[in-house]
Structure formats: structure tokens, C-alpha cells
Amino acid sequence: MARGCLAPSGHWSTLIDRRPLRYGPRNHTVGATDKPLVALERSLRMRMEARSLEIPTPRRIRYGGDYNPEQWPEHLWAEDVALMAEAGVNLVTVGVFSWAQLQGGLGAELSADWLDRVLDLLYEVGVGVDLATATASPPPWLVRAHPDILPVSADGVRMSLGGRQHYCPSSSVYRDAAVDLASRIASRYGGHPALELWHIGNEYGSRVNACYCEVSAAAFRKWLRDRYNDDIDELNRAWGTAFWSQRYLDFDEVGPPRTAPSMRNPTHQLDFLRFSDCELRACYLAERDVLRVATPQVPVTTNLMGLFQPTDSWAWAAEMDIVSVDRYPDPADPYAHVQAALVADLTRSLGAGRPWYLMEQAPGAVNWRPTNVPKNRGEFRTWSLQAVARGADAVLQFQWRASAAGAEKFHSGMVPHGGVDTRQWREVVALGADLRNLAPLAGTPISAHVALLVDWESWWALELGSHPAQLRLPELLFELYQPLFDSGTTVDFAHPESDLSQYRLILAPALYMVSGRAATNLIAHVDSGGCALITYFSGIVDPDDHVRLGGYPAPWRDLLGLDVEEFSPLPSNETLPLRGSVAHSRSTGRRWAELVRLRGARPLLEIAAGPLEGQPAATVHRYGRGAAYYLATTPDPATLTALISEITFEAGVPTAPPRPVGVEAVERGGHVVLINHTDAPIDADVGANPRRDLLSGSMKHHSVTLPPRGAVVLAPAENL
Ligand code: GAL
């Protein structure tokens, strides 16, 4: 799926350390507690999970977090593993930021006796390891020897050492050093029986998503030559350089889109975003490939970040065995649980429905917001259960033990500064017990009949600026997601060019840039009996960010039975009254309006007053065997909910049984999960057939009272 990406430069395979595995092929003996069969079973199961989902019993949900023993005196490690056993921890991520503790010079042997002892200790107590390649934070000695690995910002400032992720993604010095380290780690630990998963880098692009240095500039030029077949006229055409005297005579005249005196060429910026994503992924792939050669049986992951704009998650997920995500909703946000659900559904979809890992969440508060509100009592549990309900097979936290020093010392940990006689620790232990009870859900699938289209390239182009209004895709996605969440309708996310045949309804919010293939894909979906809801500012430009001419949205005018002649975005404090079949007496539209000419579509909502009175705000058009809906504004939440409910009904999306406001309902593998996200008890109907609640072990039927932030997980009726 890595559309438009070039193969990583250099021959990484030549850098692979081919020395024999230190621990041999998984028959290593660890003192008196050797468990080769357990290790074999674990390795086999991981392999099957990653590739075919045929997981033999016993299933289990992984539980644990980032474990950074190098921050602590060794005598504490025994306490760590004892506490892990108490909490039911069975997987920890080790070594994410350990480079400086593992290697003392470029190409030097690992000084990793401490890590040997950590892994052996974890193995002894049956805790599996998600072992990091440790390349996320280059050590000071590397920066000192090669200061040009430090990244440069768009306005020419070279960043300094002292934080993390301070590397230029195009730097061959950084990449070679990272591959060397990954290779040494693979060779030393590839056969260690505790090893379950490789964790490559960390949150690629989260601190530096693009570098504007001369090394990056040269790599960008090479990337452009490849993209445009060495033809500068092709680049000039694609970038529309006839505008503002920007015509290039040679690729050598081109640089990254550094800070400039006025609005920068959008296609230049778009190509640089594509390039920067490819360069970051090339760093990941270089490490991934050495691991795959050294340990083909061990799955790999790197932690994605949900709706994180700089990296195209479709392309990244396609390169992983297990898709994992870091999820940090703000407890101060009343919709945090809905945001969290969205990220869960997105992550599951990125892995084509395979179980995914919640790689990081905070057990309590984070320390990087201006004000760090802790999770409300019970939210650590409910948000974790939600992740499992929506397809996660692992609930891992950042981090095991809250640090005593460093930039994250006020970030919560599973073991807080106050130790074990704390609310936090009690919640950690209780969650471990809950997750043990949820083992039957591990590996089971989730089905959805509705998909939201998201395409990172379109998102990049949408938010480049110099547009009629600044639209933010996450907001638009969320606005459509929320009414579906509220009605208990499970939603997948899909790439616009992917197979949509399993869905009855496709939602396309502000899908600004579409390829010809994506345009036809949606038309074919409706033609063959599906439904689609397309919102304003969709189908506007082609992949070069050139307007598709002839009236908006050019590729879908026939599909929608209308032409949009003019955009009329609204100032943020302005709303327009709406009327129509799904309107209530005070329906309004905000953010956007348009001059729309109907050519067969029927209005469902229209503007009720003002200069745009009578203009359609929502329409429906029968097309082929299906129906195409269009939204020309953002209706108020109640009106949007009514509209979406009508559309899902018309589309034949199976309706979830009604349930009280504040209760989330999801079905996974025949289990029904009900979660009360409020701080008041709520009664919920669970049907007449008695079903076992996996969390409490008791039978439930007719009605249950969900305590504040309480939950039930009802087993399928046949699993009594
Ligand atoms: C993540 C990161 C972790 C830690 C955490 C704190 O973004 O991967 O290393 O910094 O945030 O919330």
C-alpha cells in the first residue's frame, strides 16, 4: 500500500548481523525455571495471531506496559516482577529509550548484560517481552560524532540534543546506526524465550515529522526525480508552476518547502509531506527487514497514534504483523470515551479487522497537557474494557513504574510514586483480574456495516491552507462518528480505494482529494445497491491537488444528482436556520453552505432564511440500485443524528437494540459489552435469555444495573 514510496536507499541486508543467535533457536535454558514448551507455544501463537488469527486455546488478553528498569536500581527489579505477578501482567515493552545504555559507540558491541538479566527475570515469572529496537532516541555520542543527524526546522533552525527523536529521517548515518543496533539486538535476543514481539522505534514522526536540512533536500530531489521520471516539465505541470513564476528548469533548483514570504505552492508542500512520510517509513522498514531476516517467526509492530496526520497509517499498518496504537484521550473532555472508541475502530480497521494492541495509555494523568486532569475514578477500567470490546488483544500502559526523574516524572505509572497502597495500584490489580476474565474475547472478530472513508493524502491536501475555509478532518470525522457511536452502530474506517462491498453505508467527510480509482469505487458501491453520504468539500481535486473542473464535486455530480456552483463558508459564530423532513423547529447549519443546483436529487434539508434561503443543505439521489446522500453544511447534533438515523435505516444497516444514553454497547465475537460511561447508575436491558457476565461471573437477564463507570461482558448464550 506504500503508494508512491520508493524503496529505502542503501542495501540494508548487507548490514544484517549474521552472527548466531545468542540464545539459540528458542531452546535456551534459564536456570531451574526453563519453560521451553511455554515459549514454543507462545511463539507459535504469536505467529498465528499475526498471520491467520487461528489462535489455539488458551486465549488471553495481554496486559502490562512500558518497563524501563534501566531507570531504577537493580534491587528493585525483583519487586517489579513480584508486583507484575500480583497485577496479572503478562507482556511488557522493554528498551524503547535504551540506546545510550546499550551501546557506547558506532558499531560497538552491545553492553547489555543488564538487559540479559531483565529478560531472564521476566521469563522466569512468565512475563513476555515486546522488545524495542531502542532506536527512538539517538545517544549523545552519536550526535557528538555526527551533529548533522540533528533535524532542521522549516525556518532553518537545527534542533539540539536533550529531548528525544532528534534525528533527520533521511540521514544515512542515523539509519545505518539504527539498523546496526536493531541487528545486534535481534542477534542477541532473537532466540530469547521471553521474546513475543518486536517494537520498532517509537511513535515515528511524533516529535519530528519532517526535516528541512540539506541531506533531506538532496533526498527530496531524488524522490522527485523518481516520481516525475526525471522530467522537470512533469513536475512543473503537477505543481502548476506557471502560477507566480515558479517554473523550474532543473531538479537542482528545488528544495523542501522552507519558510517563504507568502503562501507556498500547495503541490510542492503535498509532495514534501508524501516524501517525509516515506522517509520515516524507510527508517522503520530498514529495521523491520533486518528483524524479519533474523527472526522470521517473531511478529513486528510500531506504535501508531490514531488520527495522527503526518504518517499515512494505511501504508504503515500494511507493513506490520500486529497493528498497535498509543491512545491518550483527555479525561477533561466529556467526549473522551467517544474519541477513544473512534481510535479503537480506526486501529482495528488499519489491520483489516485483525486484533490490535493498545500499546500505550496512561493509567491516570499524563504530564504534557497544560493542565493534566487525571482519569476519573473507574475510567482506566472502562476505557480499557472498551479497547478490548472494540478488538484489542492487549492493554498496555505507559509506563510500569512512574519515573522519579526526567521529563515524565509526573506522568502516571501502573506503580505510582506512592507505591502499592494507592488507588492507582488497586485499579491496576483489579483491571488485571478483569482482563483475565475476558480471555474468551481474544482473537475474536467484530463486524461493521458502516465505514468512514479516510485517506491520509487527502487529509494532507485538505489542511494545506489557502482554501475557502480551514477544515479539520478529525473534527469532521468525529461529527459523523458520534451519532453512530450513540446509536450503538459499529463503524469501520476504510481507504477510498479499498473493497467496500462488505458495507451497506459509506460516509465520506471532506474527502477533498480523490483519485479516479477512488471516485469510481464509490460510484460502483452505490450502483450495486450500497448507500453513501458525501459531505461538502469532497471530490474537489485530483492527486496533484488540481481542481476537477466543470462544477463540484466533478466526479460525483451524476452520482449525487447535483452541481455545487459556489462555496459559502460561514464565520465561526454564524449559523443558518434549516427546514425539511429531518429538521426540528430549531435546526441549524454551521461552518459551511453552498450554492447547489439540483439535477435529480431531492432535498432533505434546506436553508430556511437569509440570502441562501431555499438552498439545499442535505439531499438524496437514487442511483443504480442504491442511494447517494449529500451534506452541504454541518447540521446541529440533533438534526445530524436524525439524518444519520434515516440514512442508516434506508441503507438497511442493522439497528442495535435501544439502550440508555451514556451506555456504550459493542459486540465482539458474540459477546455483548455494555459500558456505563457516566457517574450515575444506569439500568440497561439485556434481553430475556440468561447470559453469563464474564466480569462478575454471574448470570444476567432482562435488566442489569450498571454502576457508575461499570460494565458487563455477556457471553454468547451457548457459552453458558
Ligand atoms: C507517548 C510516548 C511515550 C511517553 C508517553 C507519555 O507519546 O510514546 O514514550 O512519552 O507518550 O504519555
Side-chain angles (χ1 to χ4, degrees), residues 66 97 164 202-203 207 303 326 328 360 366 368 398 408 411:
D66 277 33
F97 297 105
R164 57 174 160 174
N202 191 63
E203 291 191 340
R207 271 79 208 173
N303 36 358
D326 296 352
Y328 290 96
E360 284 183 25
V366 300
W368 39 260
F398 182 86
E408 293 187 323
H411 192 290

Side-chain angles (χ1 to χ4, degrees), residues 271-614:
D271 272 351
F272 191 65
L273 289 164
R274 289 174 169 137
F275 158 80
S276 300
D277 176 41
C278 285
E279 291 296 273
L280 284 167
R281 200 156 52 252
C283 293
Y284 163 80
L285 289 174
E287 292 187 34
R288 198 274 315 263
D289 291 349
V290 298
L291 298 175
R292 282 244 169 110
V293 171
T295 57
Q297 77 285 10
V298 181
V300 299
T301 193
T302 185
N303 36 358
L304 298 175
M305 288 156 282
L307 281 176
F308 176 68
Q309 193 183 22
T311 48
D312 177 351
S313 294
W314 294 115
W316 282 79
E319 304 291 353
M320 297 178 203
D321 296 315
I322 294 175
V323 178
S324 66
V325 76
D326 296 352
R327 199 178 68 160
Y328 290 96
D330 185 354
D333 173 0
Y335 299 107
H337 62 290
V338 190
Q339 298 279 4
L342 183 154
V343 170
D345 289 343
L346 172 66
T347 311
R348 182 186 66 249
S349 307
L350 291 171
R354 296 196 310 267
W356 53 279
Y357 278 17
L358 178 55
M359 183 55 78
E360 284 183 25
Q361 67 169 344
V366 300
N367 72 320
W368 39 260
R369 294 194 170 100
T371 301
N372 298 291
V373 173
K375 286 191 162 122
N376 293 298
R377 193 172 289 254
E379 264 172 0
F380 176 46
R381 176 178 191 245
T382 49
W383 296 1
S384 301
L385 298 180
Q386 176 197 66
V388 176
R390 292 182 181 270
D393 272 7
V395 175
L396 309 173
Q397 343 308 317
F398 182 86
Q399 59 178 328
W400 166 249
R401 206 180 257 281
S403 300
E408 293 187 323
K409 58 183 173 297
F410 292 115
H411 192 290
S412 57
M414 295 171 81
V415 183
H417 291 155
V420 292
D421 188 13
T422 51
R423 167 179 81 98
Q424 184 71 76
W425 176 250
R426 283 186 282 278
E427 287 196 6
V428 163
V429 174
L431 180 61
D434 283 336
L435 294 179
R436 263 197 306 279
N437 290 331
L438 295 193
L441 276 75
T444 60
I446 289 181
S447 63
H449 299 282
V450 180
L452 267 160
L453 296 187
V454 61
D455 172 18
W456 261 256
E457 296 207 8
S458 173
W459 183 7
W460 295 335
L462 176 73
E463 297 192 9
L464 280 177
S466 62
H467 284 176
Q470 269 304 324
L471 301 178
R472 298 283 173 226
L473 186 67
E475 268 177 58
L476 296 159
L477 283 166
F478 186 76
E479 282 159 11
L480 292 185
Y481 181 86
Q482 171 135 36
L484 292 158
F485 174 90
D486 287 344
S487 68
T489 307
T490 304
V491 175
D492 277 351
F493 287 75
H495 188 277
E497 291 180 11
S498 64
D499 177 6
L500 303 175
S501 55
Q502 74 181 91
Y503 303 110
R504 301 206 173 156
L505 173 62
I506 301 296
L507 307 168
L511 189 60
Y512 164 71
M513 192 176 84
V514 282
S515 64
R517 197 166 153 197
T520 348
N521 199 30
L522 199 55
I523 294 170
H525 171 77
V526 177
D527 197 27
S528 61
C531 283
L533 169 64
I534 299 173
T535 81
Y536 53 86
F537 221 45
S538 294
I540 306 299
V541 297
D542 67 15
D544 289 326
D545 199 21
H546 292 195
V547 173
R548 292 179 176 279
L549 301 175
Y552 316 113
W556 291 325
R557 285 179 301 143
D558 290 344
L559 173 70
L560 293 167
L562 54 79
D563 294 338
V564 175
E565 278 183 46
E566 232 176 81
F567 306 129
S568 190
L570 305 175
S572 60
N573 56 355
E574 204 173 294
T575 57
L576 294 172
L578 298 176
R579 64 184 175 222
S581 56
V582 292
H584 56 86
S585 59
R586 276 190 288 194
S587 286
T588 53
R590 65 186 174 90
R591 194 185 290 132
W592 196 272
E594 301 179 320
L595 277 187
V596 181
R597 189 168 49 216
L598 299 184
R599 289 197 294 108
R602 179 167 63 81
L604 296 170
L605 288 171
E606 56 185 33
I607 296 168
L612 291 172
E613 180 170 2

Side-chain angles (χ1 to χ4, degrees), residues 636-650:
D636 65 276
T639 309
L640 184 59
T641 299
L643 179 69
I644 299 257
S645 143
E646 169 156 333
I647 296 175
T648 47
F649 177 76
E650 290 294 329

